[in-house]
Amino acid sequence: MAQNRSITGTVRDAEGGTPIGSATIRALVSERTTSSAVDGTFSIEVASNGDSLLVTYLGYEELVVSVGANESNVTIDLVSSSESLEEVVVTGFGMAQKKETLTGAVASIGADDISRSLAPTTSGALVGKMPGLNFRQTDGRPGSSTQLRIRNMGDPLYVIDGVQKDAGQFNNLDFNDIESISILKDASAAIYGVRAANGVVVVTTKRGKLNTKNTINLTANYGFQDLSRFPKPADAVTFVESFIQSETVQGVGDYRYDQEDLDKWRQGTEKGYVPFDWLDYIWQPSPQAYLSANVSGGSDKINYYFSLGHLNQQDVIVNYGGFQRTNVQMNINAKISDRFRVGASYNARHEFRRNPGVPGGDDHWLPRFGVYRNLPTIRPFANDNPDYPTLTSTDPGTNFGWLNYDLSGERTETWRVSQLNFDAEYDLIDGLKAKALVGYYFANQRMDNQEYTYKLYGYDEATDTYPVIFENTNPWRERRMGHVEELTSNVQLNYTKSFDNHNLSVIGGVETILRKDPTTWLHSIPTANALHLIDYETMDQYDDRGDNAQARIGYIGKINYDYEGKYLIELLGRYDGSWKFPPNDRWGFFPAASAGWRISEESFWKDNQIANIVNDLKIRGSFGLVGDDNTSGYAAFDYLSGYNYKQGGSVIDGVYVLGTQPRGLPVTTLSWLRAEMANVGFDAAFLRHRLTATVEFFQRKRTGLPAARYDVLLPNEVGFGLPNENLNSDKHRGFEVALRWADRAGDLNYSLGGNITYSRFYDWDRYKPRFSNSWDVYRNSIVKRYGYLNWGLQSDGQFQSWDEIAAWPIDNDRQGNRTLRPGDVKYKDLNGDGVINGLDERPIGYRQDSTPALNLGLNFAFAYKGFDLALDFSGGAMFTFYRENEMRTPFQNGGNIPQFYAEDAWRLSDIWDANSELIPGKYPMLLIGNGAHSNYWNSDFWKDNIRYIKLRNLDFGYSLPKHILEPLSITGVRVYFSGQNLLTFTNLIEIDPEMQDTNGLGYPTYKVLNFGINVSF
Amino acid sequence: MLAGGITCFSGCSDFLERQPDTIMTDDQIFGDAVMIRSVLANYYGRVSWGQHIGDDYSFTILDEAGKSDGGPDNIQGYGNDLWRVYDYTLIRNINQFLQGLRETTALSDEDKQVYEGEARFLRAWTYFNMARGLGGMPIVGDEVFEYEGGMDITTLQYPRSTEAGIYDYIIAECDAIAPMLSDETNTHSARANRWVALMLKARAAIYAGSLANYNNKMTSPITTPGGEVGIPADRAEGYYEQALSAAQEVIDLSPYELQLNKPDDLQRNFYEALSVKDNNTEVIWAQDRIYPGTGQQTAFTTRNIPGSHAEDIDRAYAGPILNLVEDYEYINDRNGDIHIRDAQGDYIFYDDPLDAFANKDARLGGTVILPNALFKGTPVPLQAGQKVWNSGSWRTVVGQPGEEGDDGLLITSDNGPTRSNDNYINKTGFFFRKFLDEAAGASTRGRNSEMWFPRFRFAEALLIAAEAAMELGQQPVAVGYINQVRARGGIQPLESVTLDDIIQERRVEFAFENHRYWDLKRFRRAHIVWNGVVNSPTAQQFALFPYLVVAPGTPNDGKYVFDRLVFSNSLHPRLFELRNYYNFIDLGWQNANPKIVLNPFQ
């Protein structure tokens, strides 16, 4: 055992010489750790016969200083980090590259930034943090994910630790186990060939480091979730008043509620007249908890990372279960000899979703619908006795009073997933390495659903009994069982050599993927609610979905060359085959090239003044071809003729005979889509690397979209159509900008970052488009236009008086204006024909059902002494929300209306008098059964072009000072408060702006308030 | 370790060869009798068009039923492609099947002949469904077309046949295949036999005859110069004779009969003749369903059962309307209007709502659930509200479904009817009876119903024969046939038969059986009946609302009265225009085949 001695030192900023406090100093041999005081000084025990100090501090580059046997005082000058330029970026296929020599459009994010999120799934943790990523979370239920689109291009390919995966696998990693995520946004994705046309998300999980001490890290979070926004239904008085008013206007002689009723509702205390708040009854804040532990470290031969995490996210619907996930990650690497390294990794999880087994396909629909379908004048239980749920509307399923495990049953869904990877690396000769990776993936799913029979009750006051008024005799039991099995392999040769100032790296490899996902589903009708087993005698459906075998192979080649790190060139290509296509048309070649010039490395730059302002500047460009074998309208094996078994069928001779149908003409003319990706951009750093900027311009043109050659006029009467061919094209164009300012003012370290991504979709070439007239071209052509334009009438305010309607020259309702009232929507007669119809429609909005054309993120971080604060904002624009149904049609299906709608509609000053004075409002008067009125035609009155910004993450923490922890052998303790979706700024009233359901009743995203602690030893 | 890679290097060419799960070769199909039968089952499953119980809203488009679920339907006119059938894919598939069938050795010659007969019957049925919507269409025979790039397309272009030509083809096919098919009945009449072929022949011939006859009686007949639409008047007689002889063959020789096994309960008898499959002697061809069997059961009962009898969430999507109910005669009165008010305009009071329908044609009760009628042994309440006698006038009180007044008296029943826009509540005053399944669990989503849908039945043979005989001037024959049908409804016999009698009889006999639309078209009456006039007794939909009388101290207290109301859930009268007599030809079909001429008004 070596002897230790104590030394002292000072940590300073290399540039200004100011002292740095709270820097971490670790002696590598003696394994002692300390931190510097406010004046930068420290003392530490080092090994007597020489040691090395590792000094780290946020915003500065790591430094290792050796301490000689005789030194007793060291001065350490830290250089402020140009971190983003020093980063190593994983570029796919197990390869990494320094960001400074990168020539493709690749963005990456590290562990610290990923983990700053309370989202249950990985996608939610990336929102607003990476340039080039469009996002929208249209559903917020427990365990839900955010839609991620690289530059709006469609479902990306996910690659986790070198293995091609899907969004589900990506989302349900524990994102605290992720070391980094890169997104390949341009032709650099070509390394993944025929599945890369929508970009690639590359994930690397955490690994231990050789020669580091063993670290244990514990994290615990606990918080409360609530709906971020949900349109509030009208209260009882507002509802009753609106209803009476509607009956007055519509001349209904017999009021459903008379003056006496109204008075009682206003009073709200008499039995039978006590209002009920369904929103409050169904939704309540609920907890979310997360626990994780990991250990990592390494000797000189072996490094490891083991982690175990558990997430429990309760539903905000009362007593509705939720989502639980347990994750395991184990990564081990061993140096067998100087030349031979092997590694193994195991990633497994258990995912569990549970909720009552309620009627309908989506068990989360009825609680949302019930808020509106049930009137505030109705209560869930007969005589308010909780043992007797009653009928609250004509739809028995809307009464939340019985949507619970006792009365309606249970639905559970479990995924058990494991991914096992082995890899090996062998140095053949100097610079030449062989690598191999084999992965085996097995995922098992089981869904069990049992919906009970149930009874609803009335109340007979005279006898004080509860007669059954409705009995459901439809028990429903279903089970889905299946598994996914994938075998992947990846073998490559890798040659790296530098001679003089030439740096060369060459890689060649082959990748294979084999997948099967056999699944079966069955249904039975249990004879009693208490029986949960499925018996043959009660089973009535069994559906075998088959193996769906898939196979793909790709051969890969990649060459990187640079001269002095100044002139950079990358060439890559992949020759890919997919089982989907006919044997003679299976293979495609996808090449890409990119180049960069680091101007700031040139001597003319370095020697110039400008180098002091612009510290770093790189210009780069890329172009390449990638593919997509997920061709719409083409299913695997469409090249085969013959017959399809299990298609249709009928009962003949008293037996149900499954049908077999002739297939259409074999499709031999259709292959994968081809995407030409072009990108130019620059990376720059200014003002001593405090300001960094990346700007990209891009275009993707996809050719080969399927269409039929309609000019080969094959009569329809022949009974088949010509198969589609690769004829049409479309485009995405856009830009993205990322800026970051990081600096230090005294003890305050801070960074301000922002990114914006704009990507617009265009339909491009169509196969010989034909139009009958110029209107037809205007209305229906999509050639070289923005895609998914949202057409509708243009509203022009509202009619203000009966006189205005009487004198109005345009037929606004196609009924001679006889249906109009003051407050009704006025439309622009854009073609001047005196009548409002489809010819007056114009583009009024953007796409409704996809990620926004524009997304942005703002990321702020501050650290002061032990305190740290981080804020992430995310926003979107250039997408459209269309209000329909409950948000537009008054009293939809006999249900309630939103409070804000009722309050701001035109109304009578005396609800009992149809001739009383009208009070103007923002919406037309609410009338029952009036949904077909011209007010509710498709127009910009109901279509909103959305803009929003959300405070997606707020993270405020305090790290206990070292001097307290050190005696306890604790490396670090951080306590923190974090929040999600705490603020939303948008032009959309009361509805979550990311929502897509036009009835406004989509499952909104959560607002979360959370406390946590992180301890490491 | 390198297994994956080695797999590939050694056999990459095989690696991408994967086995599909459900694709079979022609040889696998035609080498196996089981697979041949499976193909035939596919074709039987593809021939439901027009109105049927799998699409209950299809009954609300005409004058039989109204949409009760949610808000109003907004129907006014009819689309140019309503119930348009143009299924040349099926015709090609059947021809592919015939090719394979004629070569197979997996079947005996006898079986091959039956299969061929059935396949050709389904093809003729397909042409028939095309013809009644579109008129004459290209007849491609047994041709299985092939296409190779660069070939002369014009050889693939077949012109439309004449309207007469397509009916002639159907009739000739039926003549050819009837002898190939079995004389025997089969389970639930799901397969075509000789009698099914004869019924199609009779129906095609009576359609062609009435088209030849009544089209030419219009002030300006609907025709095309090439006869694709419009059958010459002089052909009518020949068609009527074919129809009469085919129908008489079925009446006289077939094993079917006018089912009458409950003479004491004619309502029940009529219900069973249509809606009970076992031991049925009436139905000649039907689409059958059984439970279990993947998803082919019908949700008609689930969706339309009265709320009071519902076993699941769904109920009351649609209900019959008053127009239909009033078209059923009284036993001794051919005017079937419900007696609501007396000569002074005062209400008529009924002790039980069902009493208002006493002495009606028994088929009404077998077709429609009337207020307070029994279903599965318990009454189906239908009460819209109360009529309260209030100092010399009636005040109408309605409530929420199921609501009772402070006096404990029911205001509005759980079933409705209401005039709201609520979902799952009746709005017409009546529920479906015909095809509503009485089996336990038949109205649940998890099971649904095994109810069949008859396509041909014995009564149609009688009414085709009556119509043909009437048109051929054989009144005694016509009277004989039509009175058999009327007698089963328990209503007075006729002494002579007119076209109006035929239309009336078919309307009430075949309600919800996909006849009404085609009948009014072939008689050229549709534009007169559905004239688009607001409050027209035939074009506007009407509802009948029963009310409980609350007039304490008067003799009428506790009795029931009715209001006849415009059906609130269909705002507009039906409007059938001359262009609707034929579906429009899709311009795409004409683009692809210039020999296709367009239909009139197009």
Side-chain angles (χ1 to χ4, degrees), chain A residues 416-618:
Chain A
R416 297 170 177 87
V417 178
S418 69
Q419 168 85 45
L420 187 60
N421 291 339
F422 288 109
D423 66 273
E425 194 176 301
Y426 190 78
D427 296 337
L428 295 167
I429 52 170
D430 180 34
L432 183 65
K433 268 188 236 172
K435 285 166 85 172
L437 169 75
V438 176
Y440 178 74
Y441 172 76
F442 185 85
N444 174 279
Q445 63 156 314
R446 171 169 170 151
M447 183 274 285
D448 264 305
N449 185 20
Q450 182 163 12
E451 295 172 10
Y452 292 164
T453 60
Y454 57 92
K455 291 178 179 149
L456 299 179
Y457 304 87
Y459 178 63
D460 185 348
E461 202 148 5
T463 57
D464 192 30
T465 53
Y466 296 86
V468 173
I469 55 172
F470 172 69
E471 180 169 3
N472 171 299
T473 61
N474 171 32
W476 176 286
R477 182 82 171 84
E478 62 180 328
R479 176 179 291 165
R480 191 174 60 235
M481 298 269 279
H483 69 257
V484 185
E485 192 174 23
E486 282 178 353
L487 183 62
T488 51
S489 79
N490 180 332
V491 180
Q492 52 179 283
L493 285 173
N494 194 326
Y495 182 69
T496 311
K497 190 77 185 165
S498 296
F499 34 92
D500 300 333
N501 291 316
H502 304 275
N503 302 310
L504 179 69
S505 162
V506 182
I507 291 167
V510 57
E511 183 174 23
T512 66
I513 302 165
L514 189 60
R515 176 188 165 103
K516 286 178 183 172
D517 57 357
T519 306
T520 60
W521 177 86
L522 62 86
H523 174 263
S524 84
I525 299 184
T527 46
N529 289 339
L531 303 176
H532 305 301
L533 299 181
I534 294 173
D535 302 304
Y536 171 78
E537 287 70 19
T538 59
M539 201 165 102
D540 62 359
Q541 287 190 65
Y542 184 86
D543 185 17
D544 181 354
R545 310 251 165 101
D547 272 358
N548 301 312
Q550 304 183 2
R552 293 183 175 90
I553 308 183
Y555 297 94
I556 296 125
K558 184 181 178 203
I559 299 169
N560 284 79
Y561 167 78
D562 70 75
Y563 177 72
E564 283 191 325
K566 273 193 289 197
Y567 310 109
L568 319 164
I569 290 177
E570 178 177 278
L571 299 172
L572 63 89
R574 177 159 171 144
Y575 184 64
D576 231 352
S578 169
W579 92 107
K580 282 189 173 180
F581 303 106
N584 57 352
D585 200 11
R586 242 168 216 173
W587 292 87
F589 181 60
F590 303 99
S594 60
W597 179 28
R598 295 185 69 198
I599 303 174
S600 54
E601 294 297 300
E602 298 285 358
S603 53
F604 66 77
W605 191 281
K606 283 182 171 166
D607 298 345
N608 194 299
Q609 281 281 357
I610 196 165
N612 295 332
I613 300 167
V614 183
N615 317 115
D616 204 342
L617 179 63
K618 177 172 68 175

Side-chain angles (χ1 to χ4, degrees), chain A residues 691-923:
Chain A
L691 176 66
T692 54
T694 297
V695 177
E696 316 252 19
F697 295 91
F698 57 85
Q699 171 173 304
R700 178 184 75 161
K701 182 179 181 189
R702 290 197 304 177
T703 59
L705 302 176
R709 274 183 209 277
Y710 60 79
D711 53 348
V712 176
L713 291 176
L714 198 58
N716 294 42
E717 294 80 32
V718 301
F720 59 87
L722 282 185
N724 283 346
E725 298 179 41
N726 298 105
L727 297 176
N728 290 342
S729 68
D730 65 16
K731 261 186 192 179
H732 279 84
R733 271 181 183 167
F735 63 85
E736 53 189 66
V737 177
L739 292 172
R740 185 165 183 270
W741 173 272
D743 198 4
R744 202 165 60 85
D747 285 337
L748 177 69
N749 282 281
Y750 66 96
S751 72
L752 311 172
N755 68 75
I756 185 163
T757 306
Y758 166 82
S759 176
R760 197 75 197 264
F761 172 79
Y762 302 73
D763 288 298
W764 211 247
D765 299 316
R766 297 288 108 176
Y767 179 70
K768 298 188 193 170
R770 285 187 304 188
F771 299 99
S772 51
N773 56 47
S774 60
W775 168 260
D776 195 18
V777 178
Y778 174 68
R779 186 70 169 88
N780 298 319
S781 171
I782 52 173
V783 176
K784 298 185 181 173
R785 285 199 190 164
Y786 290 132
Y788 302 100
L789 283 179
N790 208 327
W791 290 69
L793 296 170
Q794 295 183 3
S795 63
D796 190 15
Q798 292 158 281
F799 290 102
Q800 295 300 314
S801 68
W802 291 105
D803 291 344
E804 187 184 7
I805 294 167
W808 195 249
I810 296 159
D811 186 355
N812 194 71
D813 60 355
R814 294 207 293 277
Q815 306 278 347
N817 291 348
R818 65 185 172 84
T819 70
L820 298 183
R821 310 179 47 79
D824 284 354
V825 181
K826 215 190 277 181
Y827 297 110
K828 289 185 188 162
D829 179 24
L830 291 169
N831 68 346
D833 64 353
V835 60
I836 303 299
N837 55 28
L839 297 174
D840 296 307
E841 291 196 340
R842 295 291 182 272
I844 56 171
Y846 305 93
R847 190 170 182 177
Q848 281 170 226
D849 58 351
S850 186
T851 45
L854 188 96
N855 276 113
L856 59 88
L858 296 170
N859 315 104
F860 305 134
F862 307 91
Y864 180 77
K865 297 195 171 162
F867 294 95
D868 60 83
L869 171 69
L871 302 166
D872 295 317
F873 292 88
S874 66
M878 301 178 81
F879 67 113
T880 295
F881 184 82
Y882 187 23
R883 278 188 268 174
E884 290 189 290
N885 303 321
E886 278 77 3
M887 295 300 113
R888 184 186 70 183
T889 311
F891 310 106
Q892 165 89 4
N893 288 335
N896 205 349
I897 39 174
Q899 178 78 19
F900 73 84
Y901 191 17
E903 280 174 352
D904 209 0
W906 278 66
R907 54 200 182 276
L908 296 169
S909 48
D910 176 359
I911 57 171
W912 301 100
D913 178 6
N915 296 316
S916 61
E917 202 187 329
L918 290 165
I919 302 168
K922 191 177 155 191
Y923 303 105

Side-chain angles (χ1 to χ4, degrees), chain B residues 467-481:
Chain B
E467 179 185 341
M470 183 270 292
E471 299 289 2
L472 292 166
Q474 304 171 17
Q475 275 290 336
V477 180
V479 168
Y481 287 129

